[in-house]
């Protein structure tokens, strides 16, 4: 791996500059235009369309609502989030290492380390509720634009090890191995390009790490060239990488993104990284007083 090239750019997206809405039961910060926050300067970045950092109060949440033609995933930071959707009991083969058995009228209770993923495709309805009586739930809601419309709806749930994230970046999502022309059998098999990840219908990777103060981890752009013949992603050059630094440590954590002009991020901040190619490595250093949880979204 090589460090970032001279032409690479890192531009901070400060927490205070994000959109913000507080509905009482929901306190949400929007990196991109969403709902009542309509900022045409920030509508998407590569395939990344929505990145909301949400806190939902106890005994409240998002009632059942429809989605289509979007890849939607939730990354749980703390608390519990109960997920129900119109696919439960209809597509059990699509569940990867699922948290709960999916019975006919079942649900998934997600906790820290869990990721729930939905392909909206031709149409799906779901709800997300905090059914805990006392504690809020803090999570990231992320949408990516699929490479093809009218896909078959599906869902996946998977747990990712805290210990692994403390050893380096863990890849959570990678492209469906069969690609854009996947058959019905390919969709049912749901084989990701990188083993033990969740497959997505996009040229898109997601990774996460928990970095102790004084440590430095590297994210291999596009998954790196050495991992398999032909690479992991389709677009090899000019990748669009968004780094998000969730507010999980009460302001005690900070990270530095190392490039031609290093940038320090506070909790809630993010950064647009552009002009990077497969084979480059983005180094992230924890420079605060507490562990820093960092999420990377890498797309074409």
């Amino acid at each position: 791996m090589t460090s970032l090239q001279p032409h690479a750019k890192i531009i901070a997206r400060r927490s205070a500059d994000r959109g913000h809405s507080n509905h009482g039961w929901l306190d949400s910060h929007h990196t991109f235009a969403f709902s009542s926050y309509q900022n045409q300067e920030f509508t998407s970045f590569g395939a990344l369309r929505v990145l909301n950092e949400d806190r939902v109060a106890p005994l409240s949440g998002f009632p059942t609502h429809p989605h289509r033609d979007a890849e939607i995933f939730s990354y749980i930071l703390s608390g519990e989030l109960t997920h129900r959707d119109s696919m439960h009991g209809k597509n059990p083969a699509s569940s990867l290492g699922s948290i709960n058995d999916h019975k006919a009228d079942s649900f998934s209770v997600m906790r820290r380390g869990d990721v729930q993923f939905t392909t909206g495709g031709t149409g799906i309805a779901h709800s997300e509720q905090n059914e805990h009586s006392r504690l809020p739930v803090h999570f990231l809601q992320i949408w990516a634009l699929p490479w093809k419309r009218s896909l078959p709806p599906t869902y996946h749930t998977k747990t990712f090890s805290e210990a692994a994230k403390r050893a380096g970046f863990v890849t959570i999502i990678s492209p469906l191995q069969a690609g854009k022309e996947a058959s019905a059998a390919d969709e049912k098999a749901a084989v990701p390009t990188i083993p033990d990840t969740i497959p997505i219908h996009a040229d898109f990777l997601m990774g996460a790490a928990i970095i102790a103060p004084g440590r430095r981890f590297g994210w291999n752009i596009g998954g790196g060239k050495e991992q398999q013949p032909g690479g992991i992603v389709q677009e090899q050059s000019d990748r669009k990488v968004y780094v998000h630094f969730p507010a999980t440590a009460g302001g005690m954590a900070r990270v530095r993104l190392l490039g031609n002009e290093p940038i320090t991020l506070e909790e809630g901040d993010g950064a647009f990284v552009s002009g990077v190619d497969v084979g480059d490595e983005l180094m992230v250093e924890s420079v605060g007083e507490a562990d820093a949880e960092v999420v990377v979204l890498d797309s074409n």
Side-chain angles (χ1 to χ4, degrees):
M1 293 294 157
T2 60
S3 57
L4 298 188
Q5 301 298 321
H7 56 268
K9 293 183 180 180
I10 304 177
I11 300 174
R13 176 78 159 124
R14 298 299 178 189
S15 177
D17 296 331
R18 295 181 294 174
H20 180 224
S21 58
N22 191 332
H23 304 282
W25 66 271
L26 169 66
D27 187 3
S28 183
H29 288 83
H30 316 300
T31 297
F32 300 100
F34 187 84
S35 187
S36 61
Y37 174 62
Q38 293 300 312
N39 187 331
Q40 295 307 304
E41 186 178 355
F42 299 103
T43 57
S44 62
F45 189 56
L48 178 60
R49 172 62 189 88
V50 169
L51 173 53
N52 294 341
E53 185 166 349
D54 290 345
R55 290 174 174 84
V56 176
L59 302 177
S60 58
F62 302 92
T64 302
H65 56 283
H67 287 288
R68 62 177 301 136
D69 292 325
E71 307 286 276
I72 301 166
F73 35 111
S74 298
Y75 179 89
I76 310 303
L77 295 163
S78 65
E80 298 181 354
L81 188 69
T82 299
H83 173 95
R84 294 176 174 85
D85 66 45
S86 55
M87 294 299 296
H88 275 87
K90 298 181 182 179
N91 192 15
S94 72
S95 179
L96 300 177
S98 41
I99 304 158
N100 306 97
D101 291 331
H102 294 291
K103 309 297 183 182
D105 84 359
S106 67
F107 54 88
S108 296
V109 179
M110 298 176 290
R111 300 175 178 88
R112 178 167 172 78
D114 295 335
V115 176
Q116 196 281 333
F117 180 96
T118 300
T119 290
T122 55
I124 193 169
H126 73 171
S127 68
E128 292 172 307
Q129 300 281 334
N130 179 6
E131 297 184 351
H132 199 281
S133 62
R134 295 181 293 105
L135 299 177
V137 60
H138 181 196
F139 69 105
L140 302 180
Q141 179 185 166
I142 305 167
W143 299 7
L145 301 173
W147 54 38
K148 191 174 184 179
R149 296 176 65 86
S150 300
L151 291 161
T154 191
Y155 67 88
H156 305 289
T157 56
K158 192 170 177 67
T159 304
F160 294 87
S161 162
E162 186 108 348
K165 293 177 194 172
R166 293 184 180 277
F169 275 103
V170 173
T171 306
I172 290 171
I173 288 172
S174 69
L176 182 71
Q177 188 177 71
K180 296 180 182 179
E181 304 308 319
S183 65
D186 293 328
E187 292 286 354
K188 185 176 181 179
V191 177
T193 306
I194 299 176
D196 299 318
T197 63
I198 295 172
I200 187 172
H201 300 90
D203 191 12
F204 190 104
L205 297 167
M206 176 182 177
I210 302 170
I211 313 175
R215 297 198 69 187
R216 179 187 298 183
F217 291 165
W219 171 257
N220 298 324
I221 304 298
K225 289 184 176 179
E226 293 83 4
Q227 295 190 27
Q228 63 184 62
I232 291 166
V233 297
Q234 297 169 357
E235 294 294 333
Q236 301 284 305
S237 60
D238 195 24
R239 302 287 300 173
K240 307 291 190 297
V241 180
Y242 191 81
V243 179
H244 184 64
F245 182 24
T248 61
M252 299 295 289
R254 292 195 308 279
V255 296
R256 182 179 296 129
L257 307 186
L258 303 181
N260 303 311
E261 296 182 4
I263 287 180
T264 299
L265 302 180
E266 306 288 340
E267 293 181 45
D269 289 348
F272 299 96
V273 183
S274 60
V276 292
D277 304 331
V278 172
D280 294 345
E281 186 175 35
L282 174 64
M283 299 302 299
V284 184
E285 182 179 16
S286 179
V287 295
E289 300 177 26
D291 293 347
E293 187 158 8
V294 178
V295 173
V296 177
L297 304 160
D298 179 341
S299 71
N300 59 328

